[in-house]
Amino acid sequence: MGKKRKHSETQAAAAAAAEAEAKKNDVAPERPKRTLLGWKTKPQEEDGEEKENCDAVHAPVFRNKEKVLITCSRRINFRYRHLMLNVASLLPHSKRDSKVESKESKGSTLNELVELKNCSSCMFFECRKHKDLYLWMAKSPDGPSVKFLVNAVHTMEELKLTGNHLKGSRPLLTFSANFDKEPHWMLLKELMLQITVPHNEPTKMDRGGLDKMTLTEVGPRFCLNPIKIFGGSFGGPTLYENPFYISPNQIRSLQKKKTAGKYVKKVKAKTRRKMHELSNPMERDELADMWKE
């Protein structure tokens, strides 16, 4: 003969069965779709205050989706190729493509590549004579664009630097007061800011946090000497031309002339010495042929 259940156990079992039946009959609300800008359809809140708070949390946030294409010309040497890879590692929003032939028609080719890669900017490393490196920064397809001569190149591998400490972080750009005075410097500043895509989300920092921060060099090192600023992408009307720019070919020709001048001086000195000896012959020595007999 089985034992009788207690009255409390019977009530608990009945309540659990009723709750399970209620859960089966209830229909779960449809989950809203999630997008990059927030919720596509916001859930309806019964309480007005909760709805306002939810709208504030899920408000659409501007996300800059601009990408920059980084590529180089053919026959680039290993040092400049490593520099290009170092720059690409510092820009998390960059895309790379195959090498482009350095010809007069490179502008149309690069603009087409930028469009195919769904980018808005381009950095093109152009190497000439396996010695000279030029860097193009351009906004595609309408411009503007600027051409730099790259000097004093030191890659991360040469200096044994650690590189980007936080992979995917944005670079920190600092400009002197001169970039806010002249129009061409202001244009260069805006172009570099748009290519590096600054971080626009607010960041919280404790009071006095800047005093506690330390800067660590991650590399690479190089100097950019502006040559020309064009109104279009990789060409167009010239907006600015650097009057103090001297091409590397002219520098090399001047150095050759200096070395050639030293050689010419030596040849002229030898010629003068011979002419002096011919014009001032030495008197014959009477004892010169004494031991020949």
Side-chain angles (χ1 to χ4, degrees), residues 122-178:
C122 181
M123 296 179 67
F124 178 61
F125 291 82
E126 183 179 7
C127 184
R128 295 182 180 177
K129 297 184 178 180
H130 300 278
K131 300 178 181 179
D132 308 327
L133 179 63
Y134 298 91
L135 174 59
W136 287 83
M137 292 185 182
K139 295 291 291 184
S140 182
D142 300 327
S145 59
V146 58
K147 183 180 181 181
F148 295 98
L149 174 66
V150 185
N151 293 323
V153 175
H154 298 281
T155 61
M156 295 180 185
E157 292 78 9
E158 293 176 350
L159 301 176
K160 297 182 180 180
L161 297 174
T162 56
N164 196 353
H165 292 264
L166 182 60
K167 203 66 175 178
S169 61
R170 302 295 183 181
L172 179 64
L173 297 180
T174 58
F175 297 92
S176 62
N178 296 330

Side-chain angles (χ1 to χ4, degrees), residues 90-91 169-175 193 196 198 210 213 215 218:
L90 294 177
L91 301 178
S169 61
R170 302 295 183 181
L172 179 64
L173 297 180
T174 58
F175 297 92
L193 287 176
T196 53
L210 292 176
M213 292 177 60
L215 295 179
V218 299

Side-chain angles (χ1 to χ4, degrees), residues 87-109:
V87 173
S89 65
L90 294 177
L91 301 178
H93 58 286
S94 62
K95 292 183 179 181
R96 284 181 287 174
D97 203 334
S98 57
K99 298 178 181 179
V100 178
E101 191 68 34
S102 179
K103 295 182 178 179
E104 295 181 355
S105 60
K106 63 178 179 293
S108 59
T109 305

